[in-house]
Amino acid sequence: MTAPFTARADVATASPERYAKQLAAHLGRRSEIRQEPDGIRIVLDAGDCLLRSREETLELLATAPGTEELERVQSVVGSHLERFGARNELEVVWRRG
């Protein structure tokens, strides 16, 4: 069994919890949303992304079985978050783990 591929983004925002909830509510229409002790997990067909609210930061931890699937998770989560946070100029920059 191979280890999953991972990526992380730390998005600077004064409202990390609000953006996590908004992202989960929107993507939850077509995805499974899991409330976990350390955050909100969005489960997509390609993989998943854990959203963790930190002080002044929304931490995104994406996981998928392959590089193409990971890119899909990053694209879906990142593009939606940037669109929701456009007024506040949110920028999602992923780093592979």
Side-chain angles (χ1 to χ4, degrees):
M1 185 173 185
T2 59
F5 290 83
T6 61
R8 175 182 170 145
D10 294 311
V11 182
T13 174
S15 307
E17 196 169 300
R18 179 175 68 88
Y19 282 115
K21 288 179 182 177
Q22 183 179 9
L23 191 57
H26 180 77
L27 294 177
R29 295 179 186 144
R30 293 193 282 177
S31 306
E32 179 184 352
I33 304 299
R34 296 181 191 156
Q35 295 289 333
E36 298 185 358
D38 57 343
I40 301 170
R41 186 173 305 276
I42 300 171
V43 181
L44 305 166
D45 289 338
D48 64 76
C49 188
L50 179 63
L51 313 176
R52 295 198 293 203
S53 298
R54 303 288 187 232
E55 188 174 329
E56 302 290 316
T57 303
L58 178 57
E59 186 179 273
L60 310 175
L61 303 168
T63 306
T67 57
E68 288 181 20
E69 294 92 341
L70 183 60
E71 288 172 5
R72 177 76 179 133
V73 173
Q74 290 175 254
S75 175
V76 169
V77 174
S79 65
H80 280 87
L81 183 56
E82 285 181 344
R83 190 173 52 207
F84 296 150
R87 187 175 304 157
N88 295 316
E89 299 180 357
L90 293 191
E91 183 180 11
V92 178
V93 178
W94 294 98
R95 296 178 317 278
R96 294 281 173 104

